[in-house]
Amino acid sequence: MASILDEYEDSLYRSASVQQSRASVGIPHSGYVNARLEKETPIFNKQRIDFTPPEKINSLVVSSNQLCMSLGKDTLLRIDLGKPDEPNQVELGRKDEAKVYKMFLDHTGSHLLIALNTSECLYLNRSVQKVRALSRWKGHLIESVGWNKFLGSETNTGPILVGTAQGQIYEAEISVSEGSLFSTNPDQYFRQVYTLEEESGPAPVCCLEIERGIEGKFFIIATTRKRLFQFVGKVPEGTEQQGFSSIFALHADHLPSFREFPASFGFSEIAFYTPKLRSNPRSFAWMMGNGVLYGTLDYSRPDSILSDERVWVYPPDIDINVNKPISIVLTQFHFLLLLPDRVKAVCTLNGQVVFQDLFLEKFGLLTRMIKDPTVQQIWIHTEKVVFRYHVQRESRDVWKMYMNMNKFDLAKEYCKDRPECLDIVLAKEAEHCFQNKRYLDSAKCYALTQNYFEEIALKFIEAKQEEALMEFLIKKLSNLKPSEKTQTTLLTTWLTELYLNWLGILEGDPSQRNLYLDTREKFRTFLSSPKNKDCLFNNRASIYELLASHGDTEHMVYFAVIMHDYERVVAHHCQHDEYDEALNVLSRHRDEKLFYKFSPVLIQHIPKKVVDAWISMGSRLDARNLIPALVNYSQSASTQQINEAIRYMEFCVYQLEETQQAIHNYLLSLYALCRPDSLLSYLEQAGTNPNRIHYDLKYALRLCAEHGHHHACVHIYKVMELYEEAVDLALQVDVDLAKSCADLPEDDEELRKKLWLKIARHVVQEEKDVKKAMACLSSCALLKIEDVLPFFPDFVTIDHFKEAICNSLEDYNKHIEELKREMEEATQSAKRIREDIQEMRNKYGSVEPQEKCAACDFPLLNRPFYLFLCGHMFHYDCLLQAVFPNLPAYKQAKLEDLQKKLAAASQPSKSHHRPKDADNISLGKGQQSREQIKADIDDIVAAECVYCGELMIRSIDKPFIDPQKYEEEMQSWL
């Protein structure tokens, strides 16, 4: 397997040259490169509004889909963009030469402030048609307004800030009474709170913005031509309606923090980007003389919310002395600069101009650009035309910029739904990490790309970064589909080889112990991964070869356990004399086949534990398959060790109640060899019924005979009903044992007598004990003194037999008396029988003329009939008809034969020339034969009453109607 991997690595080098040749002819290295990354749709899509103003447009403001436009000298046009066909025109009602200087619309589109060039200010609420002058504001040229987004409503602005051309900041509030709309002055108050200054003195307040941060802290941003001021402070809880005076009061004795730039083109403008409605702005862009100051807003900072500031200088074609910017608008990733004849969009990430839109001269000079923060639409107008820009998928190319800035996480975030772009970012990040020697990070990124696998692998091989190569292969493996089995097999095998190489290197270095343990844990996790399980299982032979080639027995065992290859695990433990570990594996996984295979080895070394394991397996093990292991073990083991084999066999016989003959035979052999005392008790417990004995009787008899266990042999003879052999062998051991055998054939008195005679002969001839011989007579009633006398020698005196002879004579007398009594009883019985027969011959019955046949109910005396003792009377033919179907077949045949003979005997002789004597003789013989035939017929037909005898009882289960005639009978009843 190692050679295969070496060949594969060589093929990588050959493949690399192919990739280079492909690259030279333009073959792409990624599956996504040929795809169109984007449709050619501009981010900022311009639309001209179909509107021709009757007079020139002086000013235009938009907020919350509410557009307000100042036309000519005295006209104000209001349009709800949700209902563009219903414009609302309001007259300012000014007769003097005053012109609209600027207009300010709050975030809700409800409050409109109109600043006039005559230092006056007008107010118009969305719900009314009449413009009201703000008397307290008179004498101030309004440059900017900071709306209160936290306390304002449709009828009340809440405390707001107003910036003037003289540098003063005023706090004011405007309220409209719903009951009597203009009965009171709408401006509630108008008081100065601060004055902004530059080096030369007070400077116009170009912009004002009010924001609220965390913990009730307010941030106020105010700009002049060259400076950006920040006022920070808290408004006491419950006093928000009282305004922001307390914040400005904190800076009465010292200047607030500010940013200043030297250049100026007479004004400045600040724009904010708010991602969601009713949320705080996230970034800002301040257009001033030196360029655009761009940054984010961090509300957690204590003194300044401006963060990550940078100045983007104006593009080279913008000369602030000739065509200075007019307005600025900020989106998520761009700020747009309005020039007199064009619009430029600059990316806030790299300061590059990404969009430019040139307007035709016929439209006139561009006047102002403003963004509706609620719908993110940008509006531009000249004196006679209005344009609207839709921002479409602004973030489409942001990933490129972040990628070029090496901000790969942000780049991936903005192209996560575009796999073709994500692949480019990952490849760039991987190359960047590789160049900076962050090989592991590079491998992780490369694994997620579509770049050529061989090219990347060679990269790490040439750099000698095996650990990174492993990381790349692991990630690549995790991204493969289940159907890619060939690739999965290759990567899995290669990773195994790399892990083993790496572990081999680390294991020999004591200083790398922790790294070795960590790598070993990763390798084991890899081997046990559920995703790799099928592949490893299908290629386990190759993995075993790799492990064996590296001599890594530890992981070979670990891998075998994962693959459930417990046979290999147990074999390994046995080869290394780790018998307890091997038995633990067997006991834990309880595989019967493995027990059968390894028990012969294990029982030689740990017999007691092995037997305990067998017993714990219970009936799951077939003891017959373990007998070979026990036989081999018992032949070479001591008596004490053989006891373990006996213990398991006894468990099988007594606990599991095994009935297999091999098991019982083997237990018998062990008993005969080592435990003769247990042998007889086992045989007796097995019983004497041959059909219920589970051992082989002949084998047991031979085994006991070989080892000289005579008692056991006698018992087996008794079970086999070989009583003569049992008595012959028992007489060699014990006479009493022989006596117990002699009484066993209870149904065969002749055999019992023969057996007792054997015992008596043995007692007389071998033991020469007359008293014991006499005891045999008393033990068996079948033996008489005359049966035993021939066994005694001639010189024995009669004194020894006197009592026995007397007893025998008395028995003969009793027997004779019994025979006499039986003969007298037999004589009396014969006499009574003869009397009964004579009485029966004379017995008769009377029949009345009106008696009828019990079967046909016709008069009885018309035809031959039978009269039974029970009183039933039948015609001969009626009785024959009732009896015949119920007779057995052989009786039916016999009856038919008798009827034929009777008919033949009843016919008259055809010979007319026969001698008279011959006729008489023939007639006499025919008459006798005819009477005999009729008697035989009567014995069959009239043996018993057809209604009272057994015939009626036997026919109780027969149906009343013959099944074959059932349909006919049923039809007759219809």
Side-chain angles (χ1 to χ4, degrees), residues 39-150:
K39 293 181 179 179
E40 300 300 328
T41 304
I43 296 175
F44 302 99
N45 188 18
K46 182 174 67 174
Q47 176 189 7
R48 180 181 174 181
I49 303 301
D50 186 14
F51 170 72
T52 302
E55 299 180 73
K56 69 175 183 178
I57 303 173
N58 299 321
S59 181
L60 183 146
V61 289
V62 180
S63 183
S64 295
N65 243 6
Q66 301 294 319
L67 184 146
C68 297
M69 187 186 307
S70 171
L71 301 176
K73 174 182 176 183
D74 196 47
T75 303
L76 186 68
L77 186 64
R78 295 188 298 183
I79 301 174
D80 184 350
L81 297 177
K83 305 173 182 178
D85 298 333
E86 301 177 6
N88 176 247
Q89 184 171 323
V90 178
E91 300 295 330
L92 298 182
R94 304 290 295 189
K95 302 300 182 181
D96 52 16
E97 296 298 323
K99 296 181 180 179
V100 174
Y101 177 63
K102 285 185 179 181
M103 293 197 304
F104 309 93
L105 185 63
D106 79 315
H107 61 286
T108 65
S110 301
H111 307 282
L112 176 65
L113 291 173
I114 306 166
L116 304 178
N117 59 357
T118 57
S119 298
E120 295 179 85
C121 191
L122 307 177
Y123 170 74
L124 178 64
N125 190 276
R126 183 170 63 180
S127 60
V128 298
Q129 286 288 107
K130 188 175 181 179
V131 178
R132 291 298 305 269
L134 302 177
S135 59
R136 293 187 175 90
W137 296 40
K138 191 173 183 178
H140 302 284
L141 183 61
I142 307 301
E143 287 284 349
S144 58
V145 175
W147 294 103
N148 193 329
K149 294 177 285 188
F150 314 104

Side-chain angles (χ1 to χ4, degrees), residues 352-486:
Q352 300 296 317
V353 177
V354 297
F355 172 78
Q356 179 172 278
D357 192 5
L358 186 65
F359 288 77
L360 300 177
E361 292 183 4
K362 66 177 182 178
F363 297 135
L365 296 178
L366 302 180
T367 305
R368 182 165 173 77
M369 177 173 60
I370 191 168
K371 184 181 76 169
D372 186 346
T374 58
V375 294
Q376 304 296 326
Q377 291 179 349
I378 300 170
W379 296 78
I380 297 175
H381 73 92
T382 66
E383 289 184 348
K384 50 185 176 180
V385 182
V386 178
F387 297 94
R388 176 170 58 188
Y389 280 95
H390 293 276
V391 182
Q392 296 180 341
R393 298 174 58 214
E394 183 183 5
S395 62
R396 69 179 68 174
D397 295 326
V398 169
W399 62 273
K400 291 182 184 177
M401 300 170 192
Y402 279 129
M403 179 181 70
N404 294 330
M405 296 165 62
N406 294 335
K407 295 183 177 181
F408 300 108
D409 290 338
L410 289 173
K412 288 183 284 188
E413 179 67 25
Y414 284 100
C415 63
K416 60 185 178 181
D417 298 329
R418 299 158 65 189
E420 70 280 0
C421 302
L422 182 61
D423 187 70
I424 297 174
V425 175
L426 288 170
K428 177 81 174 187
E429 182 181 8
E431 185 63 28
H432 175 77
C433 293
F434 192 91
Q435 296 298 331
N436 288 276
K437 301 186 182 305
R438 292 163 47 202
Y439 297 110
L440 288 177
D441 294 335
S442 176
K444 294 176 182 178
C445 293
Y446 269 132
L448 300 175
T449 68
Q450 298 296 319
N451 289 25
Y452 288 116
F453 172 82
E454 299 89 341
E455 180 183 344
I456 300 169
L458 279 174
K459 242 177 143 72
F460 291 113
I461 292 173
E462 292 171 351
K464 298 181 179 180
Q465 295 296 323
E466 283 197 6
E467 188 177 2
L469 177 60
M470 290 165 57
E471 185 68 28
F472 169 68
L473 296 178
I474 290 172
K475 293 293 183 183
K476 204 70 178 176
L477 179 62
S478 65
N479 294 330
L480 290 178
K481 300 176 182 177
S483 59
E484 298 174 316
K485 295 183 179 180
T486 303

